[in-house]
Amino acid sequence: MNFFRALRRQKKPKVFVIGRNKTGTTSIAAVLEKLGYRLGDQIKAELLLDDWANGQFDPILDYCRSAEAFQDIPFSLEGTYQALDREFPGSKFILTTRDSAQVWYESLTRFHTKIVGKGRLPTASDLQAFEYREPGWLWRAQKQIYGIDEDTLYDPAIYQEHYDRYNEGAVRYFADRPAQFLSINIGDESAPTRLCEFLDVEPSLTSFPHLNRSRD
């Protein structure tokens, strides 16, 4: 029987990719899909941003019953992985990281510059008018996640401190549960093997697909 087809027939624990956007989450999701996991609808997930911001996790938990693997907002936000862990015991959590907070910040700002398409770092007005998911969604995301205003939008100190604090919190939370938690930088040579071992699948993965790159 085909390896991936056989894997699809097995009941698998849910997998939550909880690393921040621009840390290789799309590449991990592509691998999970190939391994037979049903991925959550990212559009529906991102429209749960306001529920997350209001501390209303029930809509997020209900949404998680629709699939087996999830990534990006709201799964990459503070408080979400704790609620998921309580609701879905035995799930696996993957914290994707970059080489440093600065590297992550530069990738994030390049990506926003690219998608907004102004040829420069977007302003608050640019984000308020940008129609990603719905008008103003990207601006609300910056305010709700990083606590910024028009004057501190893309302040590197705020964003990088937030990135480090979030990652450190996730590592502490799962410190004594290596079977459920993996911190991984997809740029590391050992990352494909470590991911396969974590998911209890044959270590046949040799590299990650490089998707959703922000660098030209």
Side-chain angles (χ1 to χ4, degrees), residues 159-170:
Y159 280 67
Q160 292 177 43
E161 189 275 337
H162 195 282
Y163 170 88
D164 282 333
R165 186 178 69 247
Y166 173 81
N167 288 353
E168 290 165 3

Side-chain angles (χ1 to χ4, degrees), residues 81-199:
Y81 60 79
Q82 296 94 324
L84 298 170
D85 184 39
R86 292 190 294 268
E87 185 71 13
F88 303 105
S91 296
K92 289 180 176 284
F93 295 83
I94 301 172
L95 177 70
T96 45
T97 65
R98 299 296 294 265
D99 291 341
S100 68
Q102 181 179 348
V103 170
W104 164 79
Y105 171 80
E106 291 172 353
S107 180
L108 178 74
T109 51
R110 278 197 307 269
F111 182 65
H112 285 192
T113 297
K114 179 179 178 180
I115 63 172
V116 175
K118 298 293 185 178
R120 53 166 170 73
L121 196 61
T123 64
S125 296
D126 294 332
L127 297 185
Q128 290 162 8
F130 188 57
E131 297 187 5
Y132 177 82
R133 301 307 181 218
E134 58 188 19
W137 184 93
L138 195 54
W139 168 243
R140 292 204 317 278
Q142 303 312 296
K143 290 198 302 178
Q144 293 169 347
I145 297 169
Y146 302 104
I148 53 84
D149 56 24
E150 294 188 3
D151 294 327
T152 54
L153 175 63
Y154 298 124
D155 182 305
I158 293 174
Y159 280 67
Q160 292 177 43
E161 189 275 337
H162 195 282
Y163 170 88
D164 282 333
R165 186 178 69 247
Y166 173 81
N167 288 353
E168 290 165 3
V171 170
R172 282 196 305 271
Y173 182 84
F174 291 105
D176 60 347
R177 290 188 279 167
Q180 286 184 261
F181 176 75
L182 175 69
S183 178
I184 190 171
N185 182 332
I186 69 169
D188 291 344
E189 185 176 347
S190 63
T193 299
R194 292 179 61 222
L195 178 64
C196 289
E197 291 174 349
F198 178 69
L199 296 174

